[in-house]
Amino acid sequence: MESSELSNKRTRRRSKRKLSKRRQFENWRNCFLYSVETIETFTRHGLKPPPSFCFWSSSVKIKGRKRTTETGISPLVEKYWLQRYDLFSSYDDGIKMDEEGWFSVTPEEIAMRHAERSGGGCVIDCFSGVGGNAIQFAKMCHHVVAIDIDPQKVELAFNNAKIYGVEDYIDFIIGDFFQLASSLKGDVAFLAPPWGGPSYKTIPTFSLDLLKPKDGYSIFQAAQAITPNIIMFLPRNVDLRQVEELSWLSSPPLNIEIEENHVQNHLKGITAYFGGTAFGKKMEVREGKTFTTCGLCKQIGHNCHS
């Protein structure tokens, strides 16, 4: 009898322990789910969550529940949605993108760098997409011609430009860049052609032949019909020897500078600067003509025409 009662007591104790652990787990689970929703609310409004919420989200792992994102965000672009403030710092003010725009728009920090290096005058954004680069060019007080063959992307770009208050500095054109190039005039041509989607990362060495809608050589030659001052944003795994070859498509060969572009210590792409945009030279626009101020010009007061 005594052994039977002792066994029953032990069984009841085990049951209480299991029940206690289950209740404790449920409490943690409820706090975690609440904290995830709360953290997302804080993030949407640009606020930092309290430490207690951060504690729950980092200490408890719950299987079977997936964090939700915005309505309409597909699994393909969920990764990029988590980086939305790197793409557009004013994302919460009404920025709109289609699926391709999520993985093709230039991160804002890099777009700002491109704008700083472009100098002055009129910039032709030859594949403007949802407007990431065009907006930053316009914020630098440049006149921008933004071209895209997709009417939906042009509409999205116009919306995004309005968010940043620069829509009056941009002429949006729906059209094929290759058909328009011969009739365009500008001081700088900016090229950020489609890279073929996120799968470009799986290629050990990205060839310029893989660029869309035509190969990189054809795209570059079309831009040369506008100006020799060209900025080209390319994948981080691009074949740099091919990029250097582009400078030899002009006679005499163009100056070239290649720059790595990082966001939060992650390499995001490569920018090639050609002509007057290379080596940080200052572009000057005088009487409708573009000049490059070089070290020799500063010494003897001469202007070398680009």
Side-chain angles (χ1 to χ4, degrees):
M1 290 292 293
E2 290 180 2
S3 61
S4 177
E5 288 179 3
L6 182 60
S7 177
N8 289 337
K9 285 181 180 180
R10 288 175 178 172
T11 302
R12 285 195 295 271
R13 286 174 184 169
R14 291 195 191 102
S15 298
K16 286 181 179 180
R17 286 197 206 101
K18 288 181 179 179
L19 182 61
S20 175
K21 289 182 178 180
R22 185 178 302 169
R23 286 174 178 169
Q24 188 178 24
F25 172 79
E26 288 176 353
N27 288 337
W28 286 351
R29 179 180 182 277
N30 291 336
C31 289
F32 171 74
L33 297 180
Y34 171 76
S35 68
V36 167
E37 294 171 359
T38 306
I39 288 172
E40 292 177 348
T41 301
F42 273 94
T43 303
R44 278 198 301 272
H45 295 282
L47 302 174
K48 185 177 180 181
S52 57
F53 295 134
C54 296
F55 167 78
W56 286 112
S57 64
S58 61
S59 301
V60 183
K61 297 181 180 179
I62 304 297
K63 295 183 178 179
R65 165 117 180 191
K66 190 176 181 179
R67 287 186 58 174
T68 57
T69 58
E70 286 183 2
T71 304
I73 298 297
S74 69
L76 177 65
V77 302
E78 185 174 352
K79 166 188 173 181
Y80 302 94
W81 181 84
L82 296 174
Q83 303 172 30
R84 58 197 181 279
Y85 300 114
D86 289 335
L87 305 180
F88 288 99
S89 60
S90 298
Y91 179 84
D92 291 337
D93 295 331
I95 293 295
K96 295 180 181 179
M97 287 186 277
D98 60 359
E99 184 171 271
E100 185 181 1
W102 279 103
F103 53 77
S104 62
V105 67
T106 304
E108 189 169 272
E109 183 179 334
I110 298 175
M112 292 171 65
R113 172 65 174 170
H114 293 157
E116 291 171 356
R117 291 292 304 270
S118 65
C122 178
V123 178
I124 311 294
D125 189 346
C126 305
F127 304 92
S128 58
V130 296
N133 278 100
I135 288 170
Q136 296 305 320
F137 285 130
K139 286 183 69 177
M140 294 292 291
C141 301
H142 303 148
H143 178 70
V144 184
V145 177
I147 304 168
D148 203 282
I149 199 169
D150 184 349
Q152 182 186 5
K153 283 188 172 57
V154 174
E155 183 179 347
L156 294 171
F158 180 73
N159 170 81
N160 298 338
K162 287 177 65 177
I163 298 299
Y164 282 82
V166 295
E167 70 276 15
D168 293 337
Y169 296 92
I170 306 174
D171 289 332
F172 293 94
I173 298 177
I174 301 172
D176 186 339
F177 163 65
F178 296 99
Q179 295 180 4
L180 296 171
S182 60
S183 61
L184 294 171
K185 298 297 179 184
D187 301 299
V188 175
F190 176 74
L191 301 173
W195 300 348
S199 60
Y200 80 89
K201 300 175 184 177
T202 63
I203 303 171
T205 304
F206 187 93
S207 170
L208 293 180
D209 295 329
L210 299 175
L211 292 174
K212 307 294 181 181
K214 295 184 178 182
D215 65 89
Y217 299 97
S218 299
I219 294 172
F220 191 83
Q221 285 182 314
Q224 282 186 299
I226 305 171
T227 174
N229 307 312
I230 299 170
I231 300 175
M232 198 170 188
F233 186 49
L234 297 163
R236 61 195 179 196
N237 54 342
V238 70
D239 187 335
L240 295 180
R241 289 175 299 179
Q242 291 185 342
V243 177
E244 292 175 0
E245 288 174 0
L246 294 175
S247 66
W248 292 88
L249 296 178
S250 179
S251 181
L254 297 173
N255 291 327
I256 180 174
E257 177 186 357
I258 296 175
E259 176 183 78
E260 290 185 343
N261 301 116
H262 297 78
V263 176
Q264 297 184 8
N265 297 321
H266 295 288
L267 180 60
K268 293 293 186 179
I270 298 292
T271 301
Y273 300 93
F274 296 90
T277 65
F279 309 113
K281 292 183 178 180
K282 182 180 178 182
M283 300 287 298
E284 296 182 1
V285 180
R286 299 178 184 174
E287 299 179 357
K289 296 183 178 180
T290 305
F291 295 88
T292 302
T293 303
C294 64
L296 178 62
C297 296
K298 290 179 181 178
Q299 293 177 20
I300 64 175
H302 171 262
N303 287 315
C304 53
H305 186 265
S306 300

